[in-house]
Amino acid sequence: MKLNIDQLTDFNSNKKDLVNNENDFLRTEFSKKNVSVDAIIQKLADFQVAIPSWALGAGGTRFGRFSYGGEPASLEQKLEDIGLIHALTKTAGAVSLHIPWDIPEDVNAIKDIALDNGIIFDAMNSNTFQDQTDATESYKFGSLNSMNEASRQYAIEHNKEVIKIGEQLGSKSLTVWLADGANFPGQINFQKALLNTEDSLKDIYSAMPDDWKLFIEYKPYEPNFYSTTIQDWGTSFMLANACGERAYTLVDLGHHLPNTNIEQIVATLMLKGKLGGFHFNDSKYGDDDLTVGSIKPYNLFLIFNELVYGMEHNKNNPYPAWMIDASHNIKDPLEDLIQSLEAIMIAYAQALLVDRNALEVAQLENDTVMCQEILQDAYRTDVRSLIKAARIQSNAVVDPLLAYRTFKIRKQLITERGTKVMATGL
Amino acid sequence: MKLNIDQLTDFNSNKKDLVNNENDFLRTEFSKKNVSVDAIIQKLADFQVAIPSWALGAGGTRFGRFSYGGEPASLEQKLEDIGLIHALTKTAGAVSLHIPWDIPEDVNAIKDIALDNGIIFDAMNSNTFQDQTDATESYKFGSLNSMNEASRQYAIEHNKEVIKIGEQLGSKSLTVWLADGANFPGQINFQKALLNTEDSLKDIYSAMPDDWKLFIEYKPYEPNFYSTTIQDWGTSFMLANACGERAYTLVDLGHHLPNTNIEQIVATLMLKGKLGGFHFNDSKYGDDDLTVGSIKPYNLFLIFNELVYGMEHNKNNPYPAWMIDASHNIKDPLEDLIQSLEAIMIAYAQALLVDRNALEVAQLENDTVMCQEILQDAYRTDVRSLIKAARIQSNAVVDPLLAYRTFKIRKQLITERGTKVMATGL
Amino acid sequence: MKLNIDQLTDFNSNKKDLVNNENDFLRTEFSKKNVSVDAIIQKLADFQVAIPSWALGAGGTRFGRFSYGGEPASLEQKLEDIGLIHALTKTAGAVSLHIPWDIPEDVNAIKDIALDNGIIFDAMNSNTFQDQTDATESYKFGSLNSMNEASRQYAIEHNKEVIKIGEQLGSKSLTVWLADGANFPGQINFQKALLNTEDSLKDIYSAMPDDWKLFIEYKPYEPNFYSTTIQDWGTSFMLANACGERAYTLVDLGHHLPNTNIEQIVATLMLKGKLGGFHFNDSKYGDDDLTVGSIKPYNLFLIFNELVYGMEHNKNNPYPAWMIDASHNIKDPLEDLIQSLEAIMIAYAQALLVDRNALEVAQLENDTVMCQEILQDAYRTDVRSLIKAARIQSNAVVDPLLAYRTFKIRKQLITERGTKVMATGL
Amino acid sequence: MKLNIDQLTDFNSNKKDLVNNENDFLRTEFSKKNVSVDAIIQKLADFQVAIPSWALGAGGTRFGRFSYGGEPASLEQKLEDIGLIHALTKTAGAVSLHIPWDIPEDVNAIKDIALDNGIIFDAMNSNTFQDQTDATESYKFGSLNSMNEASRQYAIEHNKEVIKIGEQLGSKSLTVWLADGANFPGQINFQKALLNTEDSLKDIYSAMPDDWKLFIEYKPYEPNFYSTTIQDWGTSFMLANACGERAYTLVDLGHHLPNTNIEQIVATLMLKGKLGGFHFNDSKYGDDDLTVGSIKPYNLFLIFNELVYGMEHNKNNPYPAWMIDASHNIKDPLEDLIQSLEAIMIAYAQALLVDRNALEVAQLENDTVMCQEILQDAYRTDVRSLIKAARIQSNAVVDPLLAYRTFKIRKQLITERGTKVMATGL
């Protein structure tokens, strides 16, 4: 299914004035602080976040999975789903594909569908953490870090294959997330595993076209429960430096030990020009993959505060690749993604509202109380009208979730696709 | 397959003297401390741990599963597997069944197989965290805590059904683990969820025969990632008190927040006569379900130290139901269980070696240094010869893992069952 | 020093209209959701939080302490400081005294100063975690849990003494926080320590006047780093039940293991009528005692969401005693407290804005997405104008921090008291 | 006081045979595994751990401090204390001084005392986390990272001064631990703080003599509770690389977030030749500074397993500087240190017992079960007789703690020094 533009325009018709009124108030308030509300609205309108192809079906845990009606059964339908979200929000104009779950059968047809929905192909994702049914080598004991040369080569070749598929689609980057590690002390030799990983990544790096980037993800644990070879940003950063200048670290919010100061990691990586990509989600305990902003919204704001600072000051750092990497055992995936996008936009808008000149002064004076006031002033502001204004500007709908429900989109998808389909993926 | 007794005797033949020599040394050493090594050997020989029926196939994570050859395809084969472990160790003389994964088709045939393998039926486990394919109600949003009365009743009825199956098999207890909770703030009303859970548990309790016990498990998170209705021992204890005197708390080692002092919880529950059951496993991050003793063996010892103390002093507390609840993505499940049993026996033996009179004196004198010395003296002792002696006494093999490999048991199971079978369960 | 009312009125003079305008907007918005903005403003105006006497000097860590000019040198000056905060905010109309740091020399004079500043005497705090210079028994190895009967009695007597002082001042409750525990495995016998604690608390409970309440605090660790006798809410709840109906659990936000769902604990305790007191602060790692709302403001909101629910529905639960328990190594203590009060009011206002009817419906329908929307709608609202309105209504200043700086209060305190004074306390 | 050699010889006299007997058994057992027990005994005899000068007095927490009789009142007495420990264990032949707590007044006299006690001067420690009473600049808002150029220079000069003192004493390295960070979001600019820290460290590095090493410590939190500028090994490693080849990372066991895999960090740093120093202690919750091996002895073994591997394979990594960095609120500091040394020797001995050839084979074959068996076989061995043998070889006493008590050393120290002295330091 596809939404038509008139529907959306009708939906917005009587809300423009209200939004403008609300923003006039913010305009007055923040102009005193040298913050331009209109510039912020433009930045919000420009911001695009990739949707991963695996986020469109129902997720699950090791204890089970509760399915959802109208799940997309094909890559075509996945793009269609993203197209719906993008039509409603104008913030989801990219897809991040996972191979082998989403190998396009007809590349040109897929490109046409994407083009038609205003979607570009962001970073490609390889998968060396599962054995596919036709696999000739196993990743049971590792992939790029493996002591088994055949498994290691198999994993390298798979990554090269993913690059080739990405090239055909117009993608410009590869994200490598490695589950590689150990469940038990002694299982692997840490040093050899790290050296193997470095060699493998260099091999993959050298197979990338000259205009591609490599994003190296890190994670402390899961699915391995004793050690993970790329366990933290320090390891990823070291490997990225070893690979070359187009290799970067990718930060996934859920991939940290309890209480990690993630915003400081972001600041460090941007200072060094090595923050390549960013995966949004939220969590309370581990890599819970919950809706963005549903658990720790202030933390998300603090991270965006560093991202905004870095985008302004760290010219050596490339513009990061943004992606949502959440799951949703019990929510309609499309509603979940709309909520995630909303939370991202809110945190971004709040970070843009921070009075950076005043903050710099307060920091220089060690006026800790005022530093806190300045951040909290931005955070405590109700920025939802700014996001609405950005949506009006982009021809999105003012309230995407309400529109989704009003248009009964899920019902239509079920009618079209049935209730028994299951999306490829986890 | 089944091991014959002669095989086992041959395997042990030349090891008895060695074991005796080693223990003579310990006998001398510990007799000075009023610790009887022979009494310890007898206690070790008597100790029995239930094997859960779901531990005999390959486990998995949400990221995938690596299968194993020779997995048991039926309840009969699961009992056969436990029979093998029990023959080798004489410590695994019980099974804990999970319904609906292990509903016996022919109760008498199953009982015969169990009897033949020296296995009794320990606590029954119900499952209200997954929707079975023929389910008429869903647990997607809870079971015993559900706001949906139909789901709640469906879950209660399932538990009553599990009790009935258990009665036929000779089990005397029901373990209830509830995944019930929420993934997002606001999703459930905490108070109503707790009240519903209490009502449901009382209903189930009242359906138990008079000689049955109810074990109420707790867990802080997973598969729900915001809240779990029975999140900690305090909640379980409160519910057990509400149900009645045959309701108890069940402690699973992996079901705690980071850094929880589990041994203190054990001590408190035993003091109050409410420690009903115990699930062994190990973990570094969350409910990792790793082999017992593979990550934090000193912690296991400290817990056994409290269990031994409680079994001696807290006569109001029933003898706890012991069970291994580990998973094993990458190990042969039977080898994994043998390693777990070994770690349990070691921790138990060390705890039995603690010089309790000296400890009591040191505690009274606030001689912290000496308290630590006394515990560590027991822990640092190599107790493996005690376990070997207990095995010789029970007609088990001295070194079960070596025997398992020497007898090529996995190879025989693959020959009998094939490589493509997949056990029921997670 | 003391602020005069005219100063405050002048300060507010030109801000009333602005505040009213902002609230008119909220009034319209929330009246659609059956939420009365005026009723909320009244509740905000009525809300009072006790200031602990030890929060008025500079805090420190084990690594050192950075002092502050104008610290209060006496109980009189501490009350004066609270009087200043209360004059500015009209939210700090109570003090929570710590004995022996704040033993009044002249009770009537102290009562007069308090009365004059509009301050009442909230819960009294005893101290059995330090040895005072004139101590005849030591708490080095415990107090109420001690194996040393003399130490235990000494601690009990101290608590009884605190009750007597409190009676003279008009306090109606005693808060007992126990550091008691162990630094090393084996150091204490968990069961005996718990039994001693129960006996001691019962003794103290029985010494309280009939209209007093006993608040039993819990904490997982620090200053003991292996175990704490009252380690969690479950232990506190068990002890409160053992003492009697006027014994309650006290929740301190910083006293939890990583990732604990505190709001669920609050809900459970209120359901059982056992939430007696509440200590506000914030933290990222442990009991960091940071400014309220400075790290996890959404969490604070979720906790207030349960407090508001409980105050409406759990008539068996007494109105809780509120107190800030933060420290401030590097901030002016008075500014820190003003920021804490602001954060508390914001979270409370947001919780009051929650559309509870809609939430109940969404919960019944398992509409998880909508449940989240309802909470976030309240949380994302800029409620600062409501707090300003409440302050205008109470004759406080609209912006207390700005007033504090404008009136140069710290400078005046330094002039009056000097820069070298050090407050009693930690 | 000083122990005489005859006393020690007498103490050991009747224990040599016993120790030899026990080791004959281990010799036989481990010779099968190509592990030479005599070579291990030699390595144990050679191993030396520095004692920090601040560990000899009673430690404390922010909640208070319980003093101890006979604390050393001067640097001379501190060296005397270490001399006692060294005489008993022959493992503590080094001291690590903390400036300004231990500035020697008469350098030659101090050197003589050290020489007389067999003690060398290991890494020097600077202190920029406290303001000394005569300080002209404050570290309240940072030192090497400070936005305040004067504070930053003051901290740099202090470090240079420490180097000079160290040169006079014969030390060859400087350990820099920085508390620098922030208590609140927004307080510091992460990027500027990091750049300042890098510049400051380079300045200090350039002031070191050519044969000195710089050890850069990291820590995630405390005393700052929001962020720490050198928060993890990745940051330390990056800074060490920036400084030069004689700059290294220093690992303190307590300076990690919950559940960090420290042994993997050790392996990575040694592979890169950047593990310079190591601080031993133990902890359950945070930087608890408990006796080494008192909480997680298996973890200590796994770390030593990597250290032993690295010392054998990573020739580019210097021999690490070992130090105990524990505190002891309630234990006699000297007994505490003896227990720590014992735990270190045990873990080292167990790591040396690991059958590395077999482990390498098992790792290559992905025989996870066997990998675990090999490590646990070493760990479960009672190695205390090996340590006793090493002590006999070094003319230490077989059982240092027993000797300490038998010789009534604390009593003598109290007689000499009194009960009211308080050591300089925390």
Side-chain angles (χ1 to χ4, degrees), chain D residues 228-246:
Chain D
T228 302
T229 298
I230 309 183
Q231 72 171 337
D232 52 17
W233 78 268
T235 311
S236 165
F237 178 71
M238 197 170 70
L239 291 168
N241 283 328
C243 284
E245 64 177 36
R246 286 176 294 109

XYZ file of all heavy atoms in Angstrom, chain D residues 228-246:
145
model
N 34.661 10.751 33.990
C 36.082 10.833 34.311
C 36.826 10.943 32.986
O 36.523 10.198 32.055
C 36.526 9.579 35.088
O 35.731 9.472 36.263
C 37.997 9.655 35.468
N 37.755 11.876 32.926
C 38.374 12.139 31.623
C 39.108 10.912 31.062
O 38.949 10.588 29.889
C 39.301 13.367 31.736
O 38.483 14.498 32.093
C 39.994 13.667 30.419
N 39.872 10.235 31.911
C 40.487 8.973 31.448
C 39.629 7.848 31.990
O 39.888 7.266 33.031
C 41.951 8.848 31.912
C 42.739 10.130 31.559
C 42.600 7.632 31.259
C 44.210 10.073 31.899
N 38.554 7.562 31.256
C 37.534 6.683 31.821
C 37.789 5.203 31.594
O 37.197 4.372 32.289
C 36.143 7.062 31.298
C 35.874 6.718 29.839
C 34.389 6.921 29.470
O 33.522 6.902 30.319
N 34.095 7.112 28.209
N 38.625 4.849 30.635
C 38.787 3.421 30.328
C 40.156 3.163 29.689
O 40.904 4.099 29.400
C 37.655 2.934 29.436
C 37.480 3.797 28.191
O 38.405 4.556 27.842
O 36.409 3.739 27.580
N 40.454 1.891 29.474
C 41.761 1.540 28.916
C 41.943 2.157 27.537
O 43.075 2.532 27.176
C 41.941 0.012 28.872
C 41.204 -0.630 27.729
C 39.955 -1.139 27.747
C 41.694 -0.791 26.379
N 39.608 -1.601 26.504
C 40.661 -1.415 25.651
C 42.880 -0.473 25.721
C 40.784 -1.736 24.296
C 42.997 -0.784 24.363
C 41.955 -1.410 23.670
N 40.868 2.282 26.790
C 40.967 2.832 25.442
C 41.498 4.256 25.471
O 42.355 4.646 24.658
N 40.998 5.047 26.417
C 41.458 6.428 26.551
C 42.907 6.467 27.026
O 43.733 7.235 26.498
C 40.553 7.198 27.539
O 39.180 6.977 27.192
C 40.842 8.688 27.498
N 43.234 5.645 28.000
C 44.604 5.594 28.511
C 45.571 5.165 27.409
O 46.646 5.757 27.235
C 44.682 4.611 29.691
O 46.020 4.290 29.984
N 45.190 4.168 26.662
C 46.023 3.628 25.576
C 46.271 4.691 24.509
O 47.394 4.875 24.023
C 45.282 2.414 24.994
C 45.949 1.736 23.835
C 47.109 0.993 24.012
C 45.396 1.808 22.562
C 47.702 0.333 22.937
C 45.977 1.159 21.489
C 47.134 0.424 21.672
N 45.228 5.426 24.164
C 45.320 6.497 23.181
C 46.288 7.574 23.677
O 47.130 8.066 22.908
C 43.919 7.077 23.010
C 43.662 7.917 21.806
S 41.856 8.231 21.684
C 41.635 9.339 23.089
N 46.183 7.916 24.948
C 47.058 8.936 25.525
C 48.498 8.430 25.616
O 49.447 9.183 25.356
C 46.555 9.353 26.910
C 45.235 10.131 26.904
C 44.666 10.232 28.324
C 45.430 11.527 26.302
N 48.680 7.182 25.982
C 50.028 6.614 26.071
C 50.678 6.631 24.689
O 51.852 7.003 24.532
C 49.973 5.197 26.639
N 49.921 6.260 23.682
C 50.466 6.309 22.316
C 50.849 7.734 21.926
O 51.860 7.950 21.253
C 49.442 5.761 21.313
C 49.392 4.249 21.338
O 50.408 3.584 21.584
N 48.218 3.689 21.095
N 50.044 8.688 22.361
C 50.332 10.083 22.027
C 51.594 10.581 22.724
O 52.336 11.397 22.169
C 49.135 10.965 22.389
N 51.838 10.092 23.919
C 53.005 10.556 24.692
C 54.311 9.992 24.139
O 55.304 10.718 24.008
C 52.875 10.163 26.164
S 51.707 11.180 27.064
N 54.328 8.703 23.863
C 55.574 8.126 23.365
C 55.768 6.706 23.825
O 54.924 6.146 24.532
N 56.903 6.136 23.459
C 57.012 4.692 23.672
C 57.261 4.295 25.120
O 57.071 3.134 25.461
C 58.051 4.071 22.721
C 59.456 4.518 22.890
C 60.371 3.750 21.916
O 59.943 3.463 20.767
O 61.480 3.429 22.337
N 57.677 5.236 25.953
C 57.848 4.899 27.369
C 56.623 5.275 28.208
O 56.699 5.299 29.431
C 59.126 5.553 27.913
C 60.409 4.852 27.417
C 61.670 5.562 27.891
N 61.789 6.893 27.302
C 61.636 8.040 27.965
N 61.396 8.024 29.270
N 61.724 9.196 27.349
